[in-house]
Amino acid sequence: MSENVVHLHKPTDPPANDTAPTVLTVVPDAPPAPPVPLWVRSGRAVKSAVTHERTRATGRAIARHGSYTFNGGRIVARRTWDGRTGSRYERMIRAAEAAGNLEAAEEWEERLTRFRAARHHRRMDLLHSPVEAAKGVAVGAGMSIGVLVALGVVMAINTGHVGDVITPLTATIDFIALLIRIVQIVWGPALTIGPFLALLALWSVGRKQQAAPNWALPANVRNGEGEPITPSIVVKALRDLGVPALRNAIKEMSDAGASMLGPIRIAGCGVEVDVTLPSGVSTVEVQNRRRKLAENLTRHEHEVFITLPQAARTVRLWIADSGALDEPIGPSPLVTDESLTADYAKGRAPWGQDLRGDAALLSLYQRMLLVTGLSNQGKTAALRALALWLAFDRTAEFRIADLKGAGDWAMFDGLATVLIQGPTDEHVIEATEMVEDGVEEMNRRLQAPPGTTFPPLILLVDEAQVAFMCPAKDEQKRPYGGSRNESRYFMACRKIHNQGRAVNVLLWQGTQDPTDQNLPKLVREGAHTRASLALGTESQARMALGDKAVDGGAAPHLLRQGLDQGTLVVASSGIDIPAGQASITVRTHYISTDDAKEIAERAKALRDGVTTLHAVERGEERDPLADIASVLGDASRVLTADVLKRLSALSEDAYGRWTPGDLKRVLEDAGAEPYKSDGRMVVGRERVARALANRNTNGSASASN
């Protein structure tokens, strides 16, 4: 019987004097919930027991070990069948024929013929073996009895007892009886235990091969993290790649696709294997599915690299050990070996390691260099490592423009003859003039007598995209940035790319996030060594390395931003690249700023002392219009070609590189454009004088206002 509950409360709106009577309310209790039926409680208990993790683990263990035993029997039976018949040879013949390798098919057919001949010989021997065995037993028994009797005779002579003649024979019979008794005792338990030992052997074979459904395997095996790469894993990954022609070809192969694989070789922190694709499957179809292939191999995308070797219809897979690429590769030899030297012509810079763990050595001899990538990926460190190595060659001269100005190249103060540091337009102007001075030095060397040797001159521009995007213009309205024929920095780069290599005047550039605007096509294709860190898109990868490298498997856009810092994809003739490949992946040694300063000090000790200019020296400021008026003299008009000659004589530094286009541009801007007289272009003295007067008048008016 339920009890009632009494609640005491006042009305909701009591009077102001708060004298309202208290109201008693009797609230009955809620009715009790009906009892849960027994069958419901039993069902819940059964569901909980079935879905409990311990129950599921037990079920998986039973299925796993049962599958080990059953599939182990299948494996042993298959091995026995292969050993007793020619099925193995027949599978290899069909696989070779499917792959179009007729030579291998003929070789396997010869092996099959030899195997069948040997088997026939053994079977023929079995027909005569019972008679031969009986003869052998009879002869052996007779000889044994003779030996035992002879031994007994010797014993009888020695002891003087005639009965000792049969003592050895009796002892032998007793020993045989003992062996029979032992066998009788052991035979019964052996018949009982033998099947269990056989099952244990089959279980061991199945367990070693992990011959069980994937859902029944232990968690660490199901995840596959760090799973060693085997032929079956590679074939299964290719089969499940989503290429119908490849999947069908593997199913039709009697060896399940094993003939497609070359030997799996240990290569650095991973393994390498060549895969010959069946007819109808393109290498591009495999390259475009890199992520899926990596996942099928239980690896991350960045741990699988696909390249194209020399052999046709073949892809080369390099598969890293799980997590190996996240480990550092160790310090640079520049840091650890204080006796290290450099040779520009014959030496190679220690840049890092390739994926196989071999040292990546780069030749800098007569090679223009371009290093690009996204921001904060190690571009400056990679470029600086090469410069630090070359600094140990006393003949090398550096002229450096760091258009970031964060002090990354400050240690070259005292090593470089020019060191410009800063991101402003003024710094870009100085960098442009530095490269143009390099062009003048190149021209001087090109005009030297044949056979003259020249030391290397390295014009290094870091953050070159700042120069290409600079909007500043000079007095003749020529832009410093851009990629047109009148762009000063662009044209200076092109001139050095065209002829600088022959006289050891080299341009090294580092740039980030390449586009057609901040890295023009003609400039990037002028570099002999092109290296790229992580990029955002495949189109950027093609800008950085070229179509050939990307089509051959180079994929800097698949590197992980922020995680693969310092990892470069390099396309160059100056580094050892495996035959058939167009690029190689290099994990560069990281040299910190402090270590770079110490290395630079060692390089400075090898030199007599270098005075570093922090700005390019410029000539005096000229007024082009006033100079034109002065060289015209009293003549009413002068040929434009003569005006250029007179201006060059007036100031070689200011007007020595002027063209008719430069002269025309200055005069048109002043309103005194050249005109034709007797079919030839001339400059009129009156027009120039009037333009000069108007300019002075306008300038005075502006000043007074």
Side-chain angles (χ1 to χ4, degrees), residues 134-152:
K135 292 180 179 179
V137 170
V139 173
M143 293 180 63
S144 299
I145 292 173
V147 171
L148 292 174
V149 171
L151 181 60

Side-chain angles (χ1 to χ4, degrees), residues 241 283-292 306 538:
L241 199 56
T283 56
V284 177
E285 294 180 282
V286 178
Q287 286 181 302
N288 292 341
R289 291 170 171 81
R290 176 183 172 187
R291 174 175 295 180
K292 190 170 185 178
I306 306 172
E538 181 180 335

Side-chain angles (χ1 to χ4, degrees), residues 193-217:
I193 299 175
F196 292 101
L197 295 178
L199 291 176
L200 180 62
L202 297 179
W203 173 87
S204 178
V205 172
R207 180 178 179 274
K208 185 176 181 180
Q209 297 294 327
Q210 297 294 331
N214 189 64
W215 58 267
L217 295 175

Side-chain angles (χ1 to χ4, degrees), residues 12 17 21 34 102 159 181 187 204 212 225 652 686:
T12 304
N17 56 8
L102 299 181
T159 59
R181 181 59 180 166
W187 184 252
S204 178
E225 288 296 330
E652 177 67 25
E686 293 184 0

Side-chain angles (χ1 to χ4, degrees), residues 385-451:
L386 299 177
L388 286 171
W389 175 81
L390 188 57
F392 285 92
D393 186 335
R394 297 178 59 184
T395 64
E397 178 186 354
F398 293 93
R399 300 180 187 180
I400 299 174
D402 175 16
L403 298 182
K404 180 167 59 177
D408 293 333
W409 296 89
M411 69 288 302
F412 277 81
D413 192 350
L415 276 176
T417 55
V418 176
L419 180 59
I420 300 166
Q421 300 181 91
T424 66
D425 290 349
E426 183 64 25
H427 293 101
V428 171
I429 294 173
E430 293 179 352
T432 302
E433 294 176 348
M434 179 192 80
V435 178
E436 289 176 340
D437 288 345
V439 173
E440 292 184 3
E441 173 63 17
M442 175 190 72
N443 292 333
R444 184 190 68 81
R445 294 184 178 189
L446 289 170
Q447 297 172 13

